[in-house]
Amino acid sequence: MRGDKDVTLGAGGATTRGAGPGATCAAPGAAHPRVPRRIATVIVNSLKGGVVPRIGLPYITVGREPEINALLRDLAIVADGGASFRFVVGRYGSGKSFLLQTIRNHAMGKNFVVADADLSPERRLQGGRGQGLATYRELIGNLSTRTRPEGGALTLILDRWISGVQSEVAAAGTLPDDPRFADEVRRRIFVVVDRLHEMVHGFDFAKVLAAYFDAQLAGDDDTKANVVRWFRGEYRTKAEARADLGVSVTIGDDDWYDYIKLLACFLRQAGYEGLVVLVDELVNLYKIPNAISRQYNYEKILTMYNDTLQGRASHLGVIMSGTPQCVEDRRRGLYSYEALRSRLTQGRLGREGRVDLMAPVIRLTPLAPEELLVLVEKLADIHAGLFGYERRLGEDDLARFLELELSRVGAETLVTPREVIRDFIEMLDIMCQDADATVEGLLGSGVLRTLASPDERDAAGPDAAAGYAEFTI
């Protein structure tokens, strides 16, 4: 690699810095990181642990341009008052969660509110023990905006909405010290909430919003806290909600999605482009042992799918991600529910190798070797900047690493970006800690030989299994 040329790593691309072969891991302050240290730490630790970092994605994003553009077109539809629903399908480690986090960042940058949740045995779309409500609470807890990307933006949204209405009233000529100011603000508040009355549960939703404004005007923090509690679905009984807020409904397992639709419409009135809901780990529905419970959850997906595509929802985008098995398995997956299978299955032309990124299901294809090369270049620069040493790996070393990774038996079907990233960061860590470690010694050690499934390794015996590299399925 060009050893005498220093270029800064930016969010849009990777550049490199050459280094002498004897460089080792130095003190953290020995060099200025080209990525902020806090972000670089999150990136390295997250990727080594096999999870997607929630910050710093622009520094390591490569490829997936067609998929990203397709989802960005969906955001434009949502901003225009429509709705969208997509499934992102790929094997473990193929980049599903990474793509969702990338879209999350794009959406917040375009003034959308984003809510994301990972499904689990305790969080489903429908359940008899509060699993659906648990998913709703996770979504509301993770509400994020451009100014509050880490989540917990509900109170910020409500305060910004009221502040915006007050600014409009003041701009129209009624100043805050005018006795008519509060009445004019209240009138405009009700103009907004009145538009929600026609929707299911819209009257009570609007009543709670009005209660928040009255509480803020009166300095009643207890009522404001109760309103936030109601929005989070934390009221257990209707009597409790009626006593605190004067509404006779609570958000529950069966109707939480109706409130998501209401929230999307309200957010548009509050000055945002709409609401984007990201649901990951769809495989946890596939793992539900009870067939009837699985069908109820698939029925909820069908309801959401029909609402968005038939125009019964507005300013709402939904993206769910899962493995091919959890979607296409005719016995337990989404395809076991005939109404979903007939809507989501590929047409004849798609099965002939053509890619339709306008279809409801986006199937992730493997990253090209060139894209992986750009990715490991970026990671090498970030790692060197974080630990304060001159980068030891040149382009030839990076290319040889990838050649070794991708030349193993079964790599064409089993190697994923997660596998490549994990091995690469491990190699960087070893070279950083061991002054005697050389690129030749690590890359030529023959440690990475052949990919095999866990069953194949067990059948081969402990001695033979030691030579296999593990992978995730």
Side-chain angles (χ1 to χ4, degrees):
M1 196 167 203
R2 297 169 295 277
D4 57 348
K5 187 174 182 180
D6 290 351
V7 190
T8 301
L9 170 67
T15 55
T16 56
R17 170 181 290 182
T24 58
C25 190
H32 296 289
R34 286 154 287 177
V35 177
R37 186 171 301 280
R38 180 179 68 89
I39 295 176
T41 301
V42 172
I43 290 174
V44 172
N45 291 340
S46 298
L47 294 179
K48 187 173 182 181
V51 298
V52 179
R54 289 178 71 91
I55 60 175
L57 288 184
Y59 291 104
I60 55 176
T61 300
V62 298
R64 304 295 184 211
E65 290 185 9
E67 292 87 351
I68 291 174
N69 289 334
L71 295 174
L72 290 180
R73 285 194 295 270
D74 289 350
L75 294 184
I77 293 172
V78 173
D80 288 338
S84 68
F85 196 112
R86 293 278 195 154
F87 293 92
V88 176
V89 177
R91 294 194 305 108
Y92 287 120
S94 62
K96 301 184 301 297
S97 300
F98 195 97
L99 180 59
L100 259 60
Q101 290 299 318
T102 300
I103 292 301
R104 177 180 180 271
N105 289 346
H106 277 293
M108 288 189 296
K110 293 179 178 292
N111 199 34
F112 284 87
V113 177
V114 182
D116 63 298
D118 290 351
L119 297 183
S120 69
E122 294 76 30
R123 290 195 294 267
R124 302 174 182 173
L125 302 180
Q126 186 81 27
R129 298 194 300 270
Q131 294 100 325
L133 182 58
T135 299
Y136 171 83
R137 290 173 176 170
E138 182 75 5
L139 290 170
I140 297 300
N142 290 335
L143 277 180
S144 302
T145 64
R146 180 167 45 195
T147 55
R148 187 72 66 82
E150 69 279 6
L154 178 59
T155 54
L156 174 69
I157 291 169
L158 294 173
D159 291 340
R160 175 189 165 179
W161 168 55
I162 294 176
S163 177
V165 174
Q166 291 173 329
S167 298
E168 290 176 2
V169 172
T174 306
L175 300 179
D177 55 357
D178 192 315
R180 299 172 300 165
F181 182 79
D183 292 335
E184 181 62 20
V185 172
R186 185 177 288 103
R187 185 187 69 80
R188 295 201 180 204
I189 292 289
F190 276 97
V191 168
V192 172
V193 298
D194 279 347
R195 299 172 185 173
L196 305 175
H197 285 171
E198 297 178 357
M199 301 179 66
V200 177
H201 303 302
F203 181 81
D204 291 296
F205 189 91
K207 193 172 182 180
V208 171
L209 287 173
Y212 190 87
F213 165 69
D214 290 335
Q216 187 176 53
L217 202 64
D220 186 354
D221 291 337
D222 290 339
T223 299
K224 289 174 63 177
N226 288 334
V227 169
V228 172
R229 183 184 169 198
W230 185 88
F231 273 113
R232 289 175 176 166
E234 296 176 359
Y235 274 99
R236 295 185 178 275
T237 65
K238 295 179 180 180
E240 190 179 2
R242 189 183 302 112
D244 289 345
L245 298 172
V247 295
S248 57
V249 298
T250 58
I251 302 172
D253 256 350
D254 296 329
D255 57 5
W256 64 267
Y257 169 62
D258 293 328
Y259 290 96
I260 290 292
K261 291 193 291 183
L262 280 165
L263 180 61
C265 291
F266 162 69
L267 290 173
R268 181 64 175 187
Q269 303 298 324
Y272 297 93
E273 296 295 326
L275 175 65
V276 178
V277 175
L278 307 177
V279 178
D280 203 355
E281 302 297 345
L282 201 59
V283 70
N284 281 289
L285 301 185
Y286 172 81
K287 293 178 179 178
I288 296 176
N290 186 281
I292 296 177
S293 296
R294 280 200 312 274
Q295 294 299 306
Y296 280 140
N297 277 271
Y298 293 161
E299 190 172 304
K300 177 68 76 173
I301 292 178
L302 178 65
T303 299
M304 299 168 70
Y305 180 90
N306 288 341
D307 279 356
T308 52
L309 269 64
Q310 292 179 340
R312 290 199 292 265
S314 59
H315 300 292
L316 175 64
V318 181
I319 306 175
M320 295 185 175
S321 73
T323 62
Q325 187 180 26
C326 78
V327 173
E328 298 170 0
D329 190 326
R330 295 291 188 96
R331 190 172 61 91
R332 297 171 62 102
L334 294 182
Y335 282 10
S336 67
Y337 194 73
E338 181 60 27
L340 281 174
R341 188 200 65 78
S342 62
R343 286 163 170 79
L344 303 181
T345 188
Q346 284 182 295
R348 180 177 59 85
L349 297 180
R351 287 194 292 266
E352 292 179 353
R354 298 178 179 88
V355 178
D356 180 12
L357 292 177
M358 294 184 181
V361 179
I362 295 178
R363 290 174 170 81
L364 298 185
T365 57
L367 289 177
E370 296 81 6
E371 294 170 333
L372 289 174
L373 179 61
V374 174
L375 175 59
V376 295
E377 269 195 301
K378 291 186 175 188
L379 293 177
D381 278 326
I382 292 173
H383 195 277
L386 174 62
F387 292 104
Y389 65 91
E390 291 294 318
R391 209 183 87 181
R392 301 171 59 181
L393 299 177
E395 286 182 351
D396 291 340
D397 298 321
L398 299 177
R400 186 171 177 195
F401 167 81
L402 288 177
E403 182 181 4
L404 181 62
E405 285 277 309
L406 301 178
S407 63
R408 290 178 283 163
V409 176
E412 64 277 2
T413 57
L414 300 178
V415 167
T416 63
R418 179 183 293 167
E419 299 297 317
V420 174
I421 291 171
R422 185 182 60 191
D423 289 343
F424 185 68
I425 294 181
E426 183 177 29
M427 183 179 69
L428 293 177
D429 286 344
I430 292 173
M431 295 183 66
C432 178
Q433 299 171 73
D434 186 356
D436 297 326
T438 64
V439 175
E440 276 297 321
L442 291 173
L443 295 183
S445 63
V447 173
L448 302 173
R449 295 203 319 225
T450 306
L451 286 167
S453 68
D455 292 339
E456 290 171 334
R457 290 199 299 273
D458 292 342
D463 295 334
Y468 291 122
E470 292 191 6
F471 68 101
T472 305
I473 59 172

